[in-house]
Coordinates of all heavy atoms in Angstrom, one line a residue:
L13 N -4.4 -5.1 -1.9 CA -3.6 -6.3 -1.7 C -2.3 -6.1 -1.1 O -1.8 -6.8 -0.2 CB -3.5 -7.0 -3.1 CG -2.9 -8.4 -3.2 CD1 -3.7 -9.4 -2.4 CD2 -2.7 -8.8 -4.6
V14 N -1.6 -5.1 -1.6 CA -0.2 -4.8 -1.1 C -0.3 -4.3 0.3 O 0.4 -4.7 1.2 CB 0.4 -3.7 -2.0 CG1 1.7 -3.2 -1.4 CG2 0.7 -4.2 -3.4
G15 N -1.3 -3.4 0.6 CA -1.4 -2.8 2.0 C -1.8 -3.9 3.0 O -1.4 -3.8 4.2
N16 N -2.6 -4.9 2.6 CA -3.1 -5.9 3.5 C -2.0 -6.9 3.8 O -2.2 -7.6 4.8 CB -4.3 -6.5 2.9 CG -5.2 -7.2 4.0 OD1 -5.3 -6.6 5.1 ND2 -5.8 -8.3 3.7
H17 N -1.0 -7.0 3.0 CA 0.0 -8.0 3.2 C 1.4 -7.4 3.6 O 2.4 -8.0 3.4 CB 0.3 -8.9 1.9 CG -0.9 -9.8 1.6 ND1 -2.0 -9.4 1.0 CD2 -1.0 -11.1 1.8 CE1 -2.9 -10.4 0.9 NE2 -2.2 -11.5 1.4
T18 N 1.3 -6.2 4.2 CA 2.5 -5.5 4.7 C 2.3 -5.3 6.2 O 1.3 -5.0 6.7 CB 2.6 -4.2 4.0 OG1 2.6 -4.3 2.6 CG2 3.9 -3.5 4.4
R19 N 3.4 -5.5 6.9 CA 3.4 -5.4 8.3 C 3.3 -3.9 8.7 O 3.8 -3.1 8.0 CB 4.6 -6.1 8.9 CG 4.7 -7.6 8.8 CD 5.9 -8.1 9.4 NE 6.0 -9.6 9.2 CZ 7.0 -10.3 9.7 NH1 8.0 -9.8 10.3 NH2 7.0 -11.6 9.5
G20 N 2.8 -3.7 9.9 CA 2.7 -2.3 10.4 C 1.3 -1.8 10.4 O 0.3 -2.5 10.3
N21 N 1.2 -0.5 10.5 CA -0.1 0.2 10.5 C -0.8 0.0 9.2 O -0.3 0.4 8.1 CB 0.1 1.7 10.9 CG -1.2 2.4 11.1 OD1 -1.9 2.7 10.1 ND2 -1.5 2.6 12.3
R22 N -2.0 -0.5 9.2 CA -2.7 -0.8 8.0 C -3.1 0.5 7.2 O -3.0 0.5 6.0 CB -4.0 -1.6 8.3 CG -4.8 -1.9 7.0 CD -6.0 -2.9 7.4 NE -5.5 -4.1 7.8 CZ -6.3 -5.1 8.2 NH1 -7.6 -5.0 8.1 NH2 -5.8 -6.3 8.6
V23 N -3.5 1.5 7.9 CA -3.8 2.8 7.2 C -2.6 3.4 6.5 O -2.7 3.8 5.3 CB -4.4 3.8 8.2 CG1 -4.7 5.1 7.5 CG2 -5.7 3.3 8.8
V24 N -1.5 3.4 7.2 CA -0.3 4.0 6.6 C 0.2 3.1 5.4 O 0.6 3.6 4.4 CB 0.9 4.0 7.7 CG1 2.2 4.5 7.0 CG2 0.5 5.0 8.8
N25 N 0.0 1.8 5.6 CA 0.4 0.9 4.5 C -0.5 1.1 3.2 O 0.0 1.1 2.1 CB 0.3 -0.6 4.9 CG 1.3 -1.0 5.9 OD1 2.4 -0.3 6.0 ND2 1.0 -2.0 6.7
L26 N -1.7 1.4 3.4 CA -2.6 1.7 2.3 C -2.2 3.0 1.6 O -2.2 3.1 0.4 CB -4.1 1.8 2.8 CG -4.8 0.5 3.1 CD1 -6.2 0.7 3.7 CD2 -4.9 -0.4 1.9
L27 N -1.9 4.0 2.4 CA -1.4 5.3 1.8 C -0.2 5.1 1.0 O 0.0 5.6 -0.1 CB -1.2 6.3 2.9 CG -2.5 6.8 3.7 CD1 -2.1 7.7 4.8 CD2 -3.4 7.5 2.7
L28 N 0.8 4.4 1.6 CA 2.1 4.1 0.8 C 1.9 3.3 -0.4 O 2.4 3.6 -1.5 CB 3.1 3.5 1.8 CG 3.5 4.3 3.0 CD1 4.5 3.5 3.9 CD2 4.2 5.6 2.5
A29 N 1.0 2.3 -0.3 CA 0.7 1.4 -1.4 C 0.0 2.2 -2.5 O 0.2 2.0 -3.7 CB -0.1 0.2 -1.0
G30 N -0.9 3.2 -2.1 CA -1.6 4.0 -3.1 C -0.6 4.9 -3.8 O -0.7 5.1 -5.1
I31 N 0.4 5.4 -3.1 CA 1.4 6.2 -3.8 C 2.2 5.4 -4.8 O 2.4 5.8 -6.0 CB 2.3 6.9 -2.8 CG1 1.6 7.9 -1.9 CG2 3.5 7.6 -3.5 CD1 2.4 8.4 -0.8
M32 N 2.6 4.2 -4.4 CA 3.4 3.3 -5.3 C 2.6 2.9 -6.5 O 3.1 3.0 -7.6 CB 3.8 2.1 -4.5 CG 4.6 1.1 -5.3 SD 4.8 -0.5 -4.5 CE 3.1 -1.0 -4.6
V33 N 1.4 2.4 -6.3 CA 0.6 1.9 -7.4 C 0.2 3.0 -8.3 O 0.2 2.9 -9.6 CB -0.6 1.1 -6.9 CG1 -1.6 0.7 -8.1 CG2 -0.2 -0.1 -6.2
G34 N -0.2 4.2 -7.7 CA -0.5 5.4 -8.6 C 0.6 5.8 -9.4 O 0.4 6.1 -10.6
S35 N 1.8 5.8 -8.9 CA 3.0 6.1 -9.7 C 3.3 5.1 -10.8 O 3.6 5.5 -11.9 CB 4.3 6.2 -8.8 OG 4.1 7.2 -7.8
L36 N 3.0 3.9 -10.5 CA 3.2 2.8 -11.5 C 2.2 3.0 -12.7 O 2.6 3.0 -13.9 CB 3.0 1.5 -10.9 CG 3.1 0.3 -11.9 CD1 4.5 0.2 -12.5 CD2 2.7 -1.0 -11.1
F37 N 0.9 3.3 -12.4 CA 0.0 3.5 -13.5 C 0.2 4.8 -14.2 O 0.0 4.9 -15.4 CB -1.4 3.5 -12.9 CG -2.0 2.1 -12.8 CD1 -2.0 1.4 -11.6 CD2 -2.6 1.4 -13.9 CE1 -2.5 0.1 -11.4 CE2 -3.1 0.2 -13.7 CZ -3.1 -0.5 -12.5
S38 N 0.7 5.8 -13.5 CA 1.1 7.1 -14.2 C 2.2 6.9 -15.1 O 2.2 7.5 -16.2 CB 1.4 8.1 -13.1 OG 0.3 8.5 -12.3

């Protein structure tokens, strides 16, 4: 959801969103 609503490269956005959400759940 975060990666799909962020401007720029979709693959890079998914990676960054994964780091962010993973840190939140950790």
Side-chain angles (χ1 to χ4, degrees):
L13 184 64
V14 173
N16 202 38
H17 288 80
T18 306
R19 295 180 180 179
N21 187 285
R22 180 172 296 180
V23 174
V24 175
N25 290 339
L26 285 175
L27 292 174
L28 295 177
I31 295 173
M32 178 195 68
V33 173
S35 298
L36 178 62
F37 275 98
S38 296

